[in-house]
């Protein structure tokens, strides 16, 4: 199982890369990672402590749970309270606080909320419960959208009338652009590995062209991340920004075309609300009109407004890389993984959870 | 047994209860004190007696390498041992869900009797309750244990006196039990089967007490919360820290692999037959050698040391040379593993 992992955790290789980074890095730069897996790996292996003072690492909106709006959770909770509704979801969403509750609390109070590990399990539950309506909570970036598309196509094929999607699927590049437009100082992005496996490196080309920003798509092991940082440093020092792939064992320029086609068949872009970033045009995905009969919000309309973040919570600024968790007065005191106030603490891959779990403050 | 399934009547105090006690519990837990069936058992104790209790609610109740009965005996026995006491007597309280197959209950009772024999303890008192279907999950067991304080290990009964330079030792692979339970729940199979490490640790621990006494400054069995949680407890309110070396932690490749998939950290995984000890610097190598003489300590390792830097913190050097602080387990990693 670990046959091919040890090379990517090799101390000599890692230390050699650290030396190369130290040697090459002259300018002060700010590098943002936009993938929760990268955030966790950086903290877990203490990578931030190995870098020269010229390099500042920032954590961006890379955790799909963290950027899911509170109104989405509130809607899911409202649906769960309706008669004959089964909510199906990936486990990560269970503890995310809505305005006044979470799916986990509602389940404890008797709501029928079920964790699934595959979208087709949600379809199966719908088939087995024809008298109930099954709503699948679609969250995540380019990585998790194809499985949702497959579920919709399967439900359509077998003419299921009781299977619905509540979609909060999002696209990463528009958020990366929005951050720069907002004024967040970013010199380079560590490109998300899983997103790019599906979407390819081509999706970042417009970012490089428009903002002169460097992007290196990275794997998740410590040697991957250090090599990506080294590649970014070399790009910035040479003054020639581009998109490079460090994670070449999984990512290509074109990506997974079959998965992309599936998504394009079922979804179309829409404005999406990102926790911390607000509404970003063309950064979300909704079902195409021909699949409207699977759209929860069309069939069961709900008016739930987005509420402001809890008092004192800095999740919004943390998601933009403008603040770090330790800037937040709630961090580690009233906001812990046990009792999360903000979304960055609730998700296993949230920036606050990473700081808390692997704290070095 | 007269029925093949546990019925509510088995807990009602009548004929079915009587039969259950005589034909199952007394049959397997043979000893004079229990045979009297009095409301309380009189046992001989010493001036320093250790007393502990633990409840077991593991799901599934039978798993590779053990079952809830084996856990219920070895878990409580180990709690006594690491406290510097020689285990002597156990109580056994059973809460059984109606409908549990009698064959399953008998398998677990036999297992308890076997482990008690291994651990040199007698099950001298007990209780049975039967609850309606759905009011508990198949079977819960509580065991309390009494042990005799071992004279040259009095320091283990008190707050530990630790010094910078003391070494942190573990008796073997971390996380086998937790991953066995996880795999059993999710139908995960391995090329080489991983089994629970549940075992009473008398044969590992007692020779260490005999040979190294005061050099063993602190001992704890590594159960829920894993090694990280114990080390954090040690550091709490103290002017010492712990430095761990990730490269030295004994973790099977299969366990590492599952941790990768599920996002677990072996430092937080539960074990049921592993001990962590803090040993005086000069004795550490000899303690390791002694542990290796037992099957229970064959894969023991020195994984870190007590340090005066980072007081109150557990710090881990990562495999690539970075460092991070290791905190206590937040929330639950795996529910109902023991």
């Amino acid at each position: 199982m670990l046959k091919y992992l040890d090379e990517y955790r090799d101390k000599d290789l890692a230390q050699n890369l650290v030396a190369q980074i130290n040697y090459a890095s002259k300018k002060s730069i700010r590098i943002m990672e936009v993938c929760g897996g990268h955030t966790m790996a950086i903290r877990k292996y203490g990578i931030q402590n190995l870098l020269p003072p010229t390099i500042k690492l920032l954590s961006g909106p890379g955790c799909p749970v963290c950027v899911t709006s509170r109104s989405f959770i509130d809607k899911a909770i409202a649906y769960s309270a309706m008669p004959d509704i089964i909510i199906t979801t990936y486990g990560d969403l269970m503890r995310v606080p809505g305005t006044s509750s979470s799916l986990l609390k509602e389940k404890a109070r008797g709501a029928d909320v079920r964790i699934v590990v595959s979208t087709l399990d949600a379809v199966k539950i719908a088939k087995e419960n024809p008298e109930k309506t099954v709503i699948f909570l679609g969250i995540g970036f380019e990585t998790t959208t194809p499985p949702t598309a497959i579920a919709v196509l399967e439900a359509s094929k077998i003419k299921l009338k009781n299977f619905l999607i509540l979609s909060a699927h999002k696209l990463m590049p528009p958020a990366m652009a929005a951050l720069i437009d907002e004024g967040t100082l970013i010199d380079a992005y560590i490109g998300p590995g899983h997103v790019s496996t599906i979407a390819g490196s081509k999706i970042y080309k417009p970012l490089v062209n428009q903002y002169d920003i460097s992007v290196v798509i990275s794997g998740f092991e410590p040697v991957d991340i250090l090599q990506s940082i080294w590649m970014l440093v070399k790009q910035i020092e040479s003054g020639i920004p581009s998109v490079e792939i460090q994670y070449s064992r999984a990512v290509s320029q074109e990506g997974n075309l079959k998965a992309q086609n599936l998504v394009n068949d079922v979804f179309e872009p829409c404005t999406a609300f990102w926790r911390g970033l607000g509404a970003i045009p063309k950064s979300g995905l909704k079902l195409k009109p021909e699949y409207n009969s699977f759209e929860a919000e069309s069939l069961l309309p709900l008016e739930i407004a987005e509420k402001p973040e809890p008092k004192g919570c800095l999740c919004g600024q943390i998601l933009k890389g403008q603040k770090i968790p330790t800037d937040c007065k709630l961090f580690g005191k009233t906001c812990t993984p046990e009792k999360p106030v903000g979304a960055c603490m609730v998700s296993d891959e949230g920036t606050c959870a990473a700081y808390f779990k692997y704290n070095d403050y | 047994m007269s029925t093949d399934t546990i019925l509510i009547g088995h807990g009602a105090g009548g004929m079915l209860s009587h039969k259950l006690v005589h034909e199952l519990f007394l049959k397997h837990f043979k000893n004079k004190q229990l045979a009297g069936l009095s409301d309380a058992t009189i046992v001989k104790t010493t001036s320093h007696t250790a007393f502990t209790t633990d409840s077991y609610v593991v799901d599934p109740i039978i798993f590779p390498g053990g079952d809830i009965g084996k856990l219920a005996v070895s878990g409580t026995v180990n709690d006594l041992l690491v406290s510097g006491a020689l285990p002597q007597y156990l109580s056994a309280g059973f809460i059984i869900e109606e409908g549990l197959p009698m064959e399953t209950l008998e398998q677990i009772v036999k297992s308890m009797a076997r482990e008690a024999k291994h651990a040199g303890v007698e099950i001298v008192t007990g209780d049975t309750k039967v609850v309606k279907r759905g009011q508990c999950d198949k079977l819960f067991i509580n065991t309390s244990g009494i042990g005799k304080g071992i004279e040259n290990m009095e320091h283990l009964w008190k707050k530990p006196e630790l010094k910078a330079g003391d070494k942190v030792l573990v008796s073997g692979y971390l996380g086998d039990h937790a991953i066995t339970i996880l795999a059993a729940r999710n139908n995960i199979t391995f090329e080489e089967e991983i089994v629970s490490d549940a075992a009473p640790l008398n044969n590992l621990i007692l020779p260490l007490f005999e040979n190294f006494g005061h050099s063993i400054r602190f001992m704890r069995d590594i159960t829920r919360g894993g090694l990280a949680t114990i080390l954090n407890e040690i550091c709490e309110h103290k002017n010492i820290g712990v430095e761990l070396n990730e490269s030295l932690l004994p973790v099977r490749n299969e366990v590492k692999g599952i941790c990768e998939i599920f996002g677990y950290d072996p430092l937080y995984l539960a074990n049921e037959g592993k001990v962590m000890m803090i040993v005086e610097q000069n004795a550490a190598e000899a303690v390791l050698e002694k542990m290796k003489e037992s099957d229970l300590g064959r894969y023991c390792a020195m994984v870190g040391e007590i340090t005066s830097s980072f007081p109150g913190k557990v710090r881990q050097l990562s495999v690539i040379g970075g460092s991070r602080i290791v905190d206590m387990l937040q929330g639950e990693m795996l529910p109902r593993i023991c």
Side-chain angles (χ1 to χ4, degrees):
Chain A
M1 205 178 263
L2 286 186
K3 265 177 219 162
Y4 308 108
L5 264 186
D6 289 347
E7 302 88 323
Y8 297 101
R9 296 177 185 179
D10 183 274
K11 188 175 181 178
D12 293 340
L13 261 176
Q15 292 295 337
N16 187 284
L17 283 163
V18 169
Q20 297 282 6
I21 291 166
N22 273 277
Y23 178 75
S25 179
K26 306 283 186 284
K27 298 174 185 170
S28 285
I29 55 170
R30 293 159 64 89
I31 300 174
M32 179 178 271
E33 89 273 353
V34 282
C35 174
H38 289 152
T39 307
M40 288 307 269
I42 287 165
R43 316 300 308 180
K44 180 178 177 184
Y45 292 102
I47 289 173
Q48 74 283 3
N49 300 328
L50 297 171
L51 300 176
T54 44
I55 299 174
K56 185 169 173 59
L57 295 182
L58 309 170
S59 296
C63 159
V65 171
C66 303
V67 297
T68 299
S69 65
R70 290 211 296 165
S71 61
F72 179 85
I73 302 294
D74 291 343
K75 271 180 200 165
I77 288 169
Y79 283 137
S80 77
M82 291 180 180
D84 298 325
I85 295 275
I86 300 172
I87 299 290
T88 54
T89 176
Y90 295 133
D92 337 31
L93 271 186
M94 291 295 285
R95 292 170 57 240
V96 181
T99 303
S100 57
S101 186
S102 68
L103 288 164
L104 192 67
K105 285 180 187 166
E106 294 308 307
K107 183 177 166 66
R109 288 171 185 152
D112 195 344
V113 182
R114 304 184 193 183
I115 293 173
V116 291
V117 291
S118 153
T119 56
L120 291 178
D121 286 348
V123 173
K124 187 164 169 255
I125 291 167
K127 272 198 288 190
E128 289 167 353
N129 295 275
E131 75 292 354
K132 306 246 171 128
T133 299
V134 173
I135 300 175
F136 175 73
L137 307 182
I139 68 152
F141 303 127
E142 286 84 343
T143 324
T144 56
T145 316
T148 308
I150 287 170
V152 172
L153 292 170
E154 175 66 13
S156 175
K157 192 173 101 185
I158 61 175
K159 297 188 168 53
L160 268 185
K161 299 280 186 233
N162 64 329
F163 179 74
L164 302 175
I165 301 283
L166 181 63
S167 173
H169 284 298
K170 291 181 172 61
L171 299 166
M172 184 49 82
M176 291 163 81
L179 279 168
I180 303 170
D181 289 339
E182 269 224 357
T184 306
L185 297 173
I186 303 165
D187 299 290
Y189 276 117
I190 295 174
H194 295 144
V195 163
S196 310
T197 305
I198 300 293
S201 65
K202 62 188 178 196
I203 62 169
Y204 310 106
K205 288 258 167 47
L207 275 174
V208 175
N209 296 339
Q210 191 178 344
Y211 298 101
D212 278 347
I213 199 157
S214 299
V215 179
V216 171
I217 297 153
S218 178
F220 295 89
E221 295 303 320
V223 166
D224 286 324
I225 294 170
L226 284 167
Q227 188 180 21
S228 298
I229 292 169
W230 181 45
M231 289 163 79
L232 286 169
V233 167
K234 285 195 294 178
Q235 270 195 44
I236 291 165
E237 294 295 334
S238 70
I240 308 166
S242 66
V243 179
E244 286 186 282
I245 302 170
Q246 180 279 333
Y247 197 26
S248 55
R249 61 190 186 276
V251 176
S252 65
Q253 186 172 315
E254 291 306 315
N256 182 335
L257 295 172
K258 192 177 174 186
Q260 291 168 33
N261 291 335
L262 275 171
V263 172
N264 294 334
D265 287 346
V266 175
F267 287 100
E268 60 184 24
C270 64
T271 298
F273 190 93
W274 294 59
R275 198 167 195 159
L277 301 177
I280 304 175
K282 294 188 176 174
S283 70
L285 290 169
K286 66 174 184 182
L287 292 174
K288 281 185 162 175
E290 55 264 47
Y291 295 106
N292 210 29
S293 61
F294 298 102
E295 177 69 71
E297 289 178 284
S298 298
L299 271 75
L300 302 168
L302 276 177
E303 279 305 317
I304 292 182
E306 187 61 32
K307 306 277 196 316
E309 292 294 338
K311 203 177 172 188
C313 173
L314 295 186
C315 273
Q317 286 154 286
I318 288 163
L319 285 164
K320 294 180 214 169
Q322 294 170 349
K323 298 273 185 191
I324 60 171
T326 47
D327 294 333
C328 180
K329 286 186 178 138
L330 309 186
F331 176 77
K333 298 181 182 80
T334 52
C335 183
T336 65
E338 287 282 85
K339 281 189 171 178
V341 175
C344 300
M345 187 61 95
V346 81
S347 164
D348 277 349
E349 293 195 342
T351 307
C352 294
Y355 265 68
F356 193 94
K357 186 174 179 185
Y358 300 124
N359 70 79
D360 59 351
Y361 47 88
Chain B
M1 289 296 298
S2 49
T3 65
D4 59 4
T5 305
I6 288 289
L7 307 169
I8 285 289
H10 282 113
M15 183 52 75
L16 278 178
S17 300
H18 182 81
K19 277 179 178 280
L20 184 69
V21 168
H22 279 80
E23 294 175 18
L24 184 67
F25 297 120
L26 288 186
K27 179 181 163 187
H28 295 295
F29 300 155
K30 292 176 202 148
N31 63 67
K32 282 178 193 166
Q33 285 99 326
L34 193 63
L37 286 181
S38 52
D39 284 348
T41 296
I42 304 297
V43 294
K44 279 186 183 171
T45 58
T46 55
S47 58
H48 290 98
T49 301
F51 181 38
T52 186
T53 188
D54 209 338
S55 298
Y56 299 86
V57 296
V58 65
D59 171 41
I61 56 175
I62 297 171
F63 43 82
D67 54 60
I68 191 169
K70 185 178 185 181
L71 274 189
V73 172
S74 55
T76 298
V77 161
N78 293 341
D79 284 345
L80 291 169
L81 284 165
V82 298
S83 307
L86 181 71
Q88 293 173 292
Y89 307 107
L90 292 186
S91 70
F94 296 83
I95 297 173
I96 312 168
E97 183 185 27
E98 68 171 333
L100 182 74
M102 194 62 77
E103 194 184 349
T104 304
L105 183 60
E106 181 153 33
Q107 181 182 337
I108 286 160
V109 169
K110 277 182 179 175
S111 169
M112 288 180 79
R114 192 169 49 243
E115 294 309 318
K117 196 175 174 186
H118 282 173
V121 291
E122 289 185 324
I123 297 170
V124 295
T125 185
D127 178 56
T128 308
K129 294 283 185 293
V130 179
V131 296
K132 287 177 186 167
R133 189 175 277 275
Q135 291 185 337
C136 90
D137 186 6
K138 296 183 278 296
L139 175 65
F140 297 158
I141 301 176
N142 171 276
T143 49
S144 295
I146 287 175
K148 184 168 65 174
I150 298 169
E151 272 183 26
N152 67 329
M153 300 309 291
E154 293 99 336
H155 57 287
L156 291 188
W157 312 343
K158 300 161 192 161
K159 276 190 177 173
E161 292 297 323
L162 307 177
K163 291 181 188 160
D166 288 350
K167 301 296 181 189
V168 179
L169 276 51
V170 295
S171 65
Y173 287 122
L174 300 174
D176 288 5
H177 175 73
I179 295 304
T180 300
I181 298 297
L182 176 73
R185 283 182 199 160
N186 291 280
N187 296 319
I188 297 167
T189 53
F190 301 99
E191 281 179 24
E192 285 190 31
E193 192 188 23
I194 292 190
V195 300
S196 167
D197 56 357
L201 296 174
N202 308 53
N203 295 341
L204 177 80
I205 291 173
L206 294 175
L208 297 178
F209 287 170
E210 199 176 322
N211 286 276
F212 300 101
H214 278 267
S215 295
I216 296 167
R217 299 195 191 278
F218 177 83
M219 192 180 271
R220 186 73 65 82
D221 54 337
I222 314 168
T223 53
R224 282 172 305 169
L227 180 64
T229 300
I230 298 170
L231 292 174
N232 270 286
E233 284 170 0
I234 292 168
C235 290
E236 230 173 25
H237 319 300
K238 285 203 166 286
N239 295 326
I240 53 147
V242 173
E243 189 166 89
L244 284 177
N245 190 327
E246 189 180 12
S247 309
L248 301 178
L249 293 170
V251 184
R252 290 181 203 275
N253 276 346
E254 290 83 353
V255 170
K256 280 184 193 169
I258 292 288
C259 284
E260 293 291 333
I261 292 167
F262 285 87
Y264 295 141
D265 185 336
L267 276 176
Y268 295 99
L269 290 177
N271 310 266
E272 288 295 339
K274 294 292 182 316
V275 66
M276 182 281 286
M277 61 192 86
I278 294 173
V279 177
E280 196 183 340
Q281 194 171 349
N282 298 335
E285 287 294 344
V287 170
L288 282 173
E289 287 309 308
K290 191 72 192 167
M291 273 204 278
K292 284 175 185 169
E293 290 175 14
S294 163
D295 281 350
L296 297 163
R298 190 182 303 162
Y299 302 105
C300 62
M302 196 184 308
V303 296
E305 64 176 40
I306 301 295
T307 165
S308 51
S309 51
F310 291 94
K313 300 274 187 193
V314 179
R315 183 166 163 264
Q316 178 171 272
L317 296 174
S318 75
V319 287
I320 62 161
S323 68
R324 64 172 170 101
I325 300 296
V326 175
D327 216 328
M328 272 198 189
L329 175 62
Q330 294 293 323
E332 63 176 20
M333 218 163 185
L334 276 173
R336 292 185 51 200
I337 47 174
C338 59

